[in-house]
Amino acid sequence: EIVVTQSPATLSVSPGERATLSCRASQSVSSNLAWYQQKPGQAPRLLIYGASTRATGIPARFSGSGSGTEFTLTISSLQSEDFAVYYCQQYNNWPLTFGGGTKVEIK
Amino acid sequence: QVQLVESGGGVVQPGRSLRLSCVASGFTFSNYGMNWVRQAPGKGLEWVAVISFDGSNEQYADSVKGRFTISRDNSKNTLYLQMNSLRAEDTAVYYCAKPLRGANSWDYWGQGSLVTVSS
């Protein structure tokens, strides 16, 4: 099983600042990595797939990069609606696995 | 628009069974493999199972293999999850999720169905 590790567990950021979230896979997943945003009481929302492709309707302030084992989600200028938990997920190998999440909170 | 609506959750005793359903609309259900993903209270996401577009292939997480069965009825646009021998650690919100074309990442999710396993 591919273990996916996210860091940090919590990120405190002021509105308007840049946020950088990391995701590491225990072995190469090529570019088969997705990022999701989840707010309390809601289902996850797909932000990025293929490591760097924004899903339909996702604002340009969200960007993904990386390949192999190291990936990054960057939110260029945090808006109030961006404070949430973010998960990365690999879909290169079965079983499909998620990281433990990064909570982005208001500083 | 795409909609996924789960039902069938509730409180069940350990060792008992429960079946979840997910009715899909707004897309050609029979063209897509479908998944179940769960989330224990206050915890992260865990992929549970996937079934191919025609129901001929299934895959499961080790944590549910041999106890859960995923199935589908394309004539009813409905996905199922039969859960047997339930354990306390199966307590979670269960989501059905539709994948993107050509990628096992999910662009549409249901609202979730809460399953609580407790005596």
Side-chain angles (χ1 to χ4, degrees):
Chain A
E1 170 175 321
I2 294 178
V3 176
V4 180
T5 304
Q6 291 186 242
S7 61
T10 304
L11 187 61
S12 298
V13 186
S14 299
E17 288 189 341
R18 182 187 199 88
T20 302
L21 289 67
S22 296
C23 176
R24 174 176 292 178
S26 60
Q27 64 189 76
S28 177
V29 299
S30 186
S31 295
N32 295 315
L33 187 109
W35 290 93
Y36 299 86
Q37 177 193 68
Q38 189 178 34
K39 297 179 180 178
Q42 296 184 14
R45 174 194 183 195
L46 178 66
L47 299 175
I48 301 285
Y49 62 95
S52 60
T53 303
R54 275 190 302 277
T56 302
I58 301 304
R61 65 180 181 273
F62 291 92
S63 62
S65 63
S67 66
T69 61
E70 301 281 344
F71 301 88
T72 300
L73 175 70
T74 301
I75 312 171
S76 59
S77 176
L78 270 157
Q79 307 297 302
S80 57
E81 62 266 30
D82 300 335
F83 292 96
V85 179
Y86 292 82
Y87 295 95
C88 58
Q89 174 235 339
Q90 69 81 19
Y91 52 93
N92 195 66
N93 289 68
W94 301 98
L96 308 180
T97 47
F98 290 90
T102 292
K103 181 179 181 180
V104 177
E105 63 176 26
I106 300 174
K107 187 173 182 180
Chain B
Q1 73 281 23
V2 172
Q3 278 199 304
L4 299 169
V5 180
E6 300 101 337
S7 61
V11 180
V12 61
Q13 293 179 327
R16 304 298 291 263
S17 299
L18 204 61
R19 189 177 82 158
L20 301 180
S21 300
C22 170
V23 177
S25 60
F27 67 103
T28 306
F29 180 71
S30 58
N31 285 354
Y32 289 84
M34 291 294 292
N35 294 256
W36 289 99
V37 178
R38 70 183 180 183
Q39 186 169 35
K43 303 296 184 184
L45 299 165
E46 180 187 18
W47 170 77
V48 173
V50 63
I51 187 167
S52 60
F53 69 99
D54 60 356
S56 62
N57 286 292
E58 305 154 29
Q59 300 231 27
Y60 298 92
D62 285 347
S63 57
V64 307
K65 201 174 292 184
R67 300 187 299 121
F68 289 14
T69 302
I70 189 172
S71 63
R72 65 191 299 160
D73 185 339
N74 284 346
S75 68
K76 295 181 179 179
N77 285 356
T78 303
L79 177 72
Y80 302 101
L81 186 67
Q82 177 67 42
M83 303 183 291
N84 298 333
S85 303
L86 282 160
R87 307 167 179 166
E89 55 265 35
D90 296 318
T91 294
V93 173
Y94 286 74
Y95 297 100
C96 63
K98 169 196 165 292
L100 285 168
R101 270 253 182 244
N104 274 310
S105 54
W106 307 293
D107 57 350
Y108 287 95
W109 298 63
Q111 85 285 358
S113 185
L114 177 61
V115 173
T116 303
V117 184
S118 173
S119 53

